[in-house]
């Protein structure tokens, strides 16, 4: 069963915008922390932004001021608004949900490609 699913990836020119969506199953309605991570070719997966159940966010320095997470929603959907995209933002983006029992669920990822 796929409990977490991302959508919204694609190809965009530098300076453009995209919005990613992450839908989690009702099984994961209550969570401890959620977040977006990304992995570029040949690099380790890195945190982009996280949000706790009470709305505390933590952004990677590389995306501060450009990306905005919207996770405080009752409909089991989380969004990542990405503005002023750069070629170095090119990666597969993953949604992660961690339960109160500290179990982590990952989506399958969505590709973002930013052309210069």
């Amino acid at each position: 069963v796929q409990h977490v699913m991302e959508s919204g990836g694609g190809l965009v020119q530098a300076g453009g915008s995209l919005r990613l969506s992450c839908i989690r199953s009702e099984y994961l309605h209550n969570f401890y922390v959620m977040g977006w991570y990304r992995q570029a070719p040949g690099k380790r997966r890195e945190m982009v932004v996280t949000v706790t159940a009470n709305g505390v966010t933590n952004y990677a320095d590389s995306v501060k001021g450009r990306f905005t997470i919207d996770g405080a929603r009752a409909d089991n959907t989380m969004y990542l608004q990405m503005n002023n995209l750069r070629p170095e933002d090119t990666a597969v983006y993953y949604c992660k949900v961690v339960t109160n029992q500290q179990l982590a669920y990952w989506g399958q990822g969505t590709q973002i490609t930013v052309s210069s």
Side-chain angles (χ1 to χ4, degrees):
V1 177
Q2 187 68 32
H3 286 290
V4 180
M5 185 174 297
E6 308 93 342
S7 63
L11 173 65
V12 65
Q13 288 188 327
S17 298
L18 282 174
R19 188 175 79 156
L20 301 183
S21 301
C22 172
I23 298 176
R24 65 188 189 278
S25 67
E26 184 63 25
Y27 177 75
L28 299 179
H29 178 76
N30 295 314
F31 65 96
Y32 176 69
V33 63
M34 296 191 297
W36 290 95
Y37 292 73
R38 67 186 181 186
Q39 187 167 18
K43 295 188 176 181
R44 300 183 66 177
R45 191 172 298 187
E46 63 177 6
M47 185 274 290
V48 176
V49 58
T50 60
V51 59
T52 65
N54 57 3
V56 177
T57 58
N58 180 36
Y59 288 88
D61 288 343
S62 60
V63 306
K64 283 181 180 176
R66 300 187 299 122
F67 291 11
T68 304
I69 192 170
D70 178 8
R73 303 173 60 86
D75 61 358
N76 295 344
T77 303
M78 176 174 67
Y79 298 102
L80 180 65
Q81 179 66 41
M82 304 183 294
N83 298 327
N84 192 20
L85 283 160
R86 304 167 180 169
E88 53 263 39
D89 294 319
T90 295
V92 178
Y93 283 69
Y94 297 91
C95 177
K96 178 184 179 182
V97 180
V98 180
T99 68
N100 290 320
Q101 294 75 32
Q102 300 299 300
L103 297 175
Y105 293 80
W106 291 89
Q108 293 182 322
T110 185
Q111 176 72 46
I112 302 293
T113 301
V114 184
S115 63
S116 57

